């Protein structure tokens, strides 16, 4: 895997709008920029950050153009996605993966940005970073989130064991140990990519899944989709992050999250570690994707074995 260089204080972030529109730009945009400056970074802003095309931050072509420009721009040291929402998959055919390969840089984001993470892994073979974005999240940083993100963006050493906050216990669903490249992210995006040129290849890898605001039957459907696509057979283990505000639509006929994990993931017989504070959670672990990790489900540990960044 190609490895980007670390981000240093005083470096320049290329801010891209490749997903949902910001809306309320007058109140939110300046606060977002202030949160970037407060961490000691300069910023170059893609035009689509200020655009609105319905619920999207600009047209597909405009959003991809801004992303491509940030990789071409020698001033830019890292590419940071402004926010998630919806829309990354729509613009992937316009992304210049050759330019990304020729100019490896940190790519930071999560949620809808999972579509870009996966596409870059498949088409470029470059490490990316799954972590919080500056719209709201950087303005509302707690110490845990800030320290985790800055460590992931600056360290040229393996991150080692990724620790939950003290009051959030990892859960062993299926005991066992495994090692492999960590891939994945938001379940909705991974499921929707099945059958496309950007479908996730989980062969011999550790599969990370998380989601937010989905009814349990929708999680059931998406997990079934990726099971039928072979991802649980391909992978060596599963790490489950936050499934925040995922509730039963039909209380009288409810299945619970634990039920569908037992029915759909457990039969593959791979180690499964759950309740890691990754994704749409109050306390967010920033984690590199595309680097080797080790999972010990019974011990409740996820350990990064390989550096994500290099000078």
């Amino acid at each position: 895997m190609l490895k980007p260089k670390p981000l240093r204080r005083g470096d320049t972030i290329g801010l891209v709008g490749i997903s949902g529109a910001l809306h309320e730009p007058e109140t939110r945009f300046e606060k977002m920029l202030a949160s970037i400056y407060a961490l000691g970074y300069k910023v170059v802003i893609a035009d689509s950050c200020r655009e609105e095309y319905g619920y999207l931050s600009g047209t597909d072509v405009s959003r991809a153009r801004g992303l491509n420009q940030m990789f071409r721009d020698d001033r830019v040291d890292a590419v940071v996605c402004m926010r998630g929402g919806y829309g990354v998959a729509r613009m992937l055919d316009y992304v210049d993966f050759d330019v990304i390969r020729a100019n490896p840089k940190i790519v930071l984001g999560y949620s809808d940005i999972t579509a870009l993470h996966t596409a870059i892994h498949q088409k470029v073979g470059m490490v990316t970073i799954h972590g919080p974005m500056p719209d709201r999240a950087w303005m509302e940083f707690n110490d845990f989130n800030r320290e985790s993100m800055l460590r992931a963006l600056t360290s040229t050493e393996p991150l080692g064991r990724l620790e939950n906050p003290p009051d959030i216990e990892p859960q062993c669903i299926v005991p066992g140990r495994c090692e492999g490249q960590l891939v994945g992210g938001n379940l909705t995006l991974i499921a929707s990519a099945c059958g496309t040129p950007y479908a996730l290849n989980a062969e011999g890898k550790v599969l990370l899944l998380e989601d937010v605001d989905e009814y349990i039957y929708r999680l059931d459907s998406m997990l079934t989709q990726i099971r039928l696509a072979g991802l649980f057979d391909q992978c060596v283990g599963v790490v489950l992050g936050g499934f925040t505000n995922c509730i039963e639509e039909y209380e009288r006929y409810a299945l619970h999250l634990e039920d569908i994990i037992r029915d759909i993931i457990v039969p593959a017989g791979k180690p499964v570690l759950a309740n890691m504070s990754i994704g749409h959670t109050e306390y967010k672990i920033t984690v590199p994707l595309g680097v080797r990790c080790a999972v010990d489900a019974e011990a409740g540990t996820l350990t990064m074995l390989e550096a994500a960044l290099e000078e």
Side-chain angles (χ1 to χ4, degrees), residues 19-293:
S19 187
L22 185 64
H23 303 305
E24 310 166 25
E26 290 122 7
T27 56
R28 284 167 65 180
F29 204 83
E30 292 307 317
K31 289 180 180 179
M32 179 172 60
L33 292 182
S35 72
I36 295 172
Y37 297 141
L39 293 178
Y41 302 125
K42 303 169 189 173
V43 63
V44 174
I45 304 166
D47 291 342
S48 61
C49 289
R50 292 189 171 98
E51 294 176 2
E52 289 187 20
Y53 180 61
Y55 40 75
L56 301 170
S57 182
T59 65
D60 300 340
V61 171
S62 173
R63 289 179 290 124
R65 182 190 303 120
L67 179 69
N68 295 336
Q69 286 172 344
M70 292 305 173
F71 281 97
R72 293 191 183 101
D73 192 334
D74 290 337
R75 297 173 298 169
V76 171
D77 299 292
V79 179
V80 173
C81 300
M82 176 178 71
R83 69 183 304 269
Y86 169 76
V88 172
R90 286 185 46 153
M91 56 150 235
L92 289 177
D93 287 345
Y94 302 103
V95 174
D96 191 335
F97 293 104
D98 291 334
V99 166
I100 296 176
R101 187 180 299 107
N103 302 279
K105 299 176 184 182
I106 285 173
V107 175
L108 174 67
Y110 78 111
S111 194
D112 191 47
I113 313 305
T114 295
L116 181 62
H117 288 310
T118 300
I120 289 176
H121 297 161
Q122 305 294 103
K123 301 295 184 180
V124 178
M126 185 180 80
V127 171
T128 60
I129 307 294
H130 183 283
M133 296 165 286
D135 175 36
R136 289 204 171 106
W138 288 19
M139 291 182 273
E140 301 166 0
F141 264 152
N142 54 53
D143 290 343
F144 181 92
N145 294 357
R146 182 186 300 105
E147 290 170 9
S148 180
M149 187 188 80
L150 291 177
R151 183 165 172 253
L153 295 179
T154 61
S155 178
T156 57
E157 300 295 327
L159 295 181
R161 180 175 171 179
L162 302 181
E163 301 272 7
N164 272 4
D167 57 341
I168 299 176
E169 288 291 329
Q171 297 175 357
C172 174
I173 305 297
V174 178
R177 299 177 182 178
C178 63
E179 290 187 14
Q181 195 182 84
L182 186 66
V183 297
N186 185 261
L187 172 61
T188 298
L189 276 299
I190 293 168
S192 64
C194 289
T196 77
Y198 308 103
L200 179 67
N201 176 4
E203 189 67 45
K205 299 172 183 176
V206 176
L207 180 59
L208 169 66
L209 299 172
E210 65 86 32
D211 221 314
V212 65
D213 292 337
E214 294 285 357
Y215 284 123
I216 296 300
Y217 84 91
R218 288 270 302 149
L219 297 179
D220 186 326
S221 174
M222 291 184 286
L223 288 170
T224 298
Q225 170 77 7
I226 69 172
R227 178 184 67 81
L228 293 173
L231 269 67
F232 295 125
D233 292 328
Q234 294 170 6
C235 73
V236 296
V238 179
V239 174
L240 301 177
F243 283 83
T244 304
N245 196 33
C246 292
I247 59 174
E248 302 81 13
E249 183 176 18
Y250 308 108
E251 292 184 9
R252 184 177 173 188
Y253 309 105
L255 285 175
H256 305 291
L257 181 59
E258 295 80 4
D259 298 320
I260 62 171
I261 291 172
R262 181 195 63 227
D263 292 345
I264 300 171
I265 303 178
V266 170
K270 310 295 174 63
V272 180
L273 176 64
N275 205 38
M276 289 300 296
S277 193
I278 300 171
H280 294 82
T281 52
E282 179 181 0
Y283 294 94
K284 296 181 189 344
I285 301 172
T286 299
V287 57
L289 299 175
V291 298
R292 195 164 184 81
C293 72

